[in-house]
Amino acid sequence: MTTPDAPTQLTSAARRRSRPAVVAAALAAVFLGTLGNVSAAPAQAAERPVAADCPPELADNATCYTGQDANGAHYTMAVPHDWNGSLVVHAHGGPDLGDASDPARSTEDLQRWAVMVDQGYAWAGSAYRRGGYGARMAATDTENVRRLFTARFGRPERTYLHGQSWGGDVAAKVAETYGTRRGAYDGVLLTNGVLGGGSRGYDYRVDLRVVYQYYCHNHPRPTEPQYPLWQGLRPGSTMTNAGLRARLEECTGYASEPADRTALQQRNLDDILAVTRIPERTLESHLRFATFTFRDIVTNRLDGRNPWSNRGVRYSGSHDDKALNAGVERFSADPTARRDLSYDSDLTGRVSLPVLTLHAIDDPTAFVEHEAAYRATLRGAGRGGNLVQTFTKETEHSSLSDSEYANSISALDTWVRTGRRPSPRSVAASCEAFDATYGSGCFYDPGFRPSPYASRVRPRPGGLGWPAMTAAQERAWGRIDGVGIAP
């Protein structure tokens, strides 16, 4: 149902900490669209949040709002009727592709994580100003929606970041970029996050792209215009998801029953999976990313420059590794392209906030070894004490148990309020109380520790140390005109 556009009542503590709305609005007008290193001028005046339909899960216990910020990013907010005074600012995954902001995206994410609003937290999420890659752009849009919320409802008692999938990288970037400002954010929850950053976090998809073509020879076909595989897909190609799926089926029979595959299809499939270590159930989605998202990164964001390399990588696990390594396409990155991708999306580990992560051990999309990369990144920056990592025996990427989400935000809140750092075991133990309400299960494995990132994703020469981008590198690169990915 549509709820009235009336100011939500603040808790007494939140009211004491709030600023006059006119002052907050003025501050928002100054900063929106010009945060951090994303400096595009605002395309329009930011829209004041207006009442909108809530997802069915929240229709009876929250007031929802939508709007569009000064850069054109659609956003959604929700304030529960029994608001606990704290806010969760959400960074969505993807990245989705397309030139414009999708107004449905943030509303869909609110529905997916309605459990946080059910737990009494207000919620705000941006759909970002456009589709396509750009972690700093997405981080700025995420910070924008926090400011818009504060301008409309006053400063929350506490503000927490939440990022899922690629949104985990975005939220971690927000924490590093804006988390040092007093009162902006109090803690960070990262779930199934892509925490290896952009310059290394997609190397296994680079490997998939070249290994697939070595065996399949149909992406592109010999009769089609040729292009270097690091492009993902040539500019102007009209290939669709369905067309890519048909080529994958033609080569591997992956969607067919094993008994219906030819011997060559089965061998191709076995070799591709063994060499890339990608689960069969997500092979198509990884190949889509290595096709369409790579094209977006290279063609639309890096002006056709190549950020990828597979020089010096030794592929193994196939029926004939010698032939594979002799025949697979090789290439080296353009140093400026790799710098720009790294500056945009790699993490320095310089985070001053409590960070709690939740990751499915058998996540088939963002492999759990991303957590090992993030742990090494924070430790490399001397911030390892700010991180607590938890793991579950689940096999999903896009969503985990509601009981675990509720438990995680509660554990983070308790850590922030009390200053007592939890342990994986204490977080696991507290989940049972939330499962009594949600009944979606608690699947924690407190003793699990992920293997190093290089155990799952073949490192490039010189690519074993973390962080992938140091704070000193970030400062130096930030002084270069036009560095990074333009919004």
Side-chain angles (χ1 to χ4, degrees):
M1 67 179 182
T2 301
T3 50
D5 186 15
T8 299
Q9 294 297 312
L10 302 180
T11 64
S12 58
R15 191 180 299 110
R16 287 195 300 271
R17 295 181 62 185
S18 66
R19 298 179 178 180
V22 65
V23 176
L27 289 173
V30 170
F31 288 108
L32 289 175
T34 58
L35 304 174
N37 292 286
V38 179
S39 56
Q44 60 190 42
E47 294 180 4
R48 184 175 183 271
V50 297
D53 290 337
C54 284
E57 295 88 342
L58 300 174
D60 295 330
N61 64 1
T63 305
C64 296
Y65 303 84
T66 59
Q68 198 170 10
D69 76 8
N71 291 310
H74 290 276
Y75 62 82
T76 300
M77 300 172 180
V79 181
H81 300 327
D82 188 17
W83 184 22
N84 65 15
S86 292
L87 168 67
V88 172
V89 179
H90 172 78
H92 78 68
D96 300 332
L97 300 181
D99 295 329
S101 180
D102 179 4
R105 179 60 199 252
S106 55
T107 302
E108 292 168 353
D109 275 14
L110 170 59
Q111 183 172 10
R112 183 183 300 178
W113 284 283
V115 62
M116 295 184 180
V117 181
D118 189 59
Q119 283 294 303
Y121 295 88
W123 191 95
S126 172
Y128 311 148
R129 70 190 71 179
R130 61 159 172 78
Y133 208 83
R136 286 184 183 269
M137 173 205 72
T140 297
D141 293 343
T142 301
E143 165 67 354
N144 278 350
V145 79
R146 182 196 69 81
R147 293 178 180 231
L148 284 166
F149 183 95
T150 299
R152 174 66 175 83
F153 301 107
R155 179 173 161 183
E157 291 184 30
R158 296 175 188 86
T159 300
Y160 300 117
L161 278 162
H162 171 243
Q164 171 101 5
S165 188
W166 181 60
D169 182 63
V170 173
K173 182 68 74 175
V174 175
E176 292 184 0
T177 306
Y178 307 109
T180 59
R181 295 178 180 174
R182 183 177 177 84
Y185 298 96
D186 297 280
V188 188
L189 174 63
L190 307 175
T191 56
N192 279 5
V194 180
L195 301 175
S199 72
R200 299 180 187 174
Y202 305 123
D203 280 346
Y204 62 96
R205 287 168 171 160
V206 175
D207 295 338
L208 171 62
R209 189 66 183 86
V210 298
V211 170
Y212 175 88
Q213 182 65 2
Y214 172 80
Y215 289 112
C216 298
H217 309 291
N218 67 2
H219 187 23
R221 301 183 191 280
T223 56
E224 295 175 327
Q226 302 298 293
Y227 55 88
L229 298 181
W230 49 260
Q231 288 186 344
L233 187 64
R234 66 180 175 84
S237 171
T238 58
M239 178 182 283
T240 62
N241 286 337
L244 181 63
R245 185 181 306 119
R247 295 185 188 214
L248 177 59
E249 173 67 14
E250 171 191 290
C251 174
T252 68
Y254 87 108
S256 301
E257 293 295 327
D260 296 330
R261 296 171 187 155
T262 67
L264 180 58
Q265 285 177 327
Q266 187 64 60
R267 193 177 75 174
N268 286 342
L269 181 61
D270 290 344
D271 280 343
I272 292 169
L273 296 178
V275 173
T276 64
R277 306 165 189 170
I278 288 174
E280 183 174 346
R281 61 194 171 108
T282 52
L283 177 60
E284 182 188 345
S285 65
H286 285 292
L287 188 59
R288 283 201 309 268
F289 194 104
T291 299
F292 301 109
T293 306
F294 275 20
R295 177 172 64 175
D296 173 75
I297 292 172
V298 170
T299 302
N300 299 335
R301 313 303 161 200
L302 295 175
D303 299 320
R305 293 171 295 147
N306 171 29
W308 319 118
S309 175
N310 68 339
R311 295 284 182 193
V313 175
R314 171 73 183 175
Y315 297 109
S316 61
S318 72
H319 76 279
D320 189 342
D321 290 345
K322 183 177 180 179
L324 170 63
N325 282 283
V328 74
E329 183 174 318
R330 302 281 183 176
F331 39 79
S332 298
D334 178 320
T336 65
R338 192 161 187 85
R339 175 205 66 195
D340 287 353
L341 182 60
S342 180
Y343 180 78
D344 180 75
S345 56
D346 281 345
L347 301 170
T348 68
R350 297 280 292 180
V351 58
S352 57
L353 305 171
V355 181
L356 178 66
T357 71
L358 173 69
H359 212 117
I361 294 170
D362 194 23
D363 182 338
T365 300
F367 303 148
V368 73
E369 288 80 8
H370 275 273
E371 295 288 343
Y374 192 56
R375 182 182 66 230
T377 295
L378 266 65
R379 287 183 173 178
R383 304 297 176 91
N386 292 337
L387 178 65
V388 173
Q389 295 178 299
T390 63
F391 302 94
T392 72
K393 298 176 183 177
E394 289 161 288
T395 61
E396 298 299 323
H397 171 69
S398 295
S399 60
L400 300 174
S401 162
D402 275 354
S403 302
E404 293 165 355
Y405 284 127
N407 180 51
S408 295
I409 194 65
S410 174
L412 178 62
D413 181 61
T414 300
W415 183 5
V416 169
R417 285 188 295 101
T418 66
R420 293 193 295 270
R421 185 174 182 266
S423 68
R425 196 164 300 279
S426 69
V427 175
S430 63
C431 185
E432 184 178 349
F434 294 95
D435 200 43
T437 299
Y438 297 105
S440 55
C442 298
F443 306 100
Y444 290 94
D445 184 348
F448 179 79
R449 183 182 180 88
S451 298
Y453 188 73
S455 69
R456 181 70 176 263
V457 181
R458 290 177 175 84
R460 276 50 183 163
L464 288 174
W466 299 89
M469 174 182 66
T470 66
Q473 284 177 317
E474 182 181 43
R475 288 192 298 270
W477 289 342
R479 291 191 287 268
I480 299 172
D481 186 44
V483 72
I485 292 174

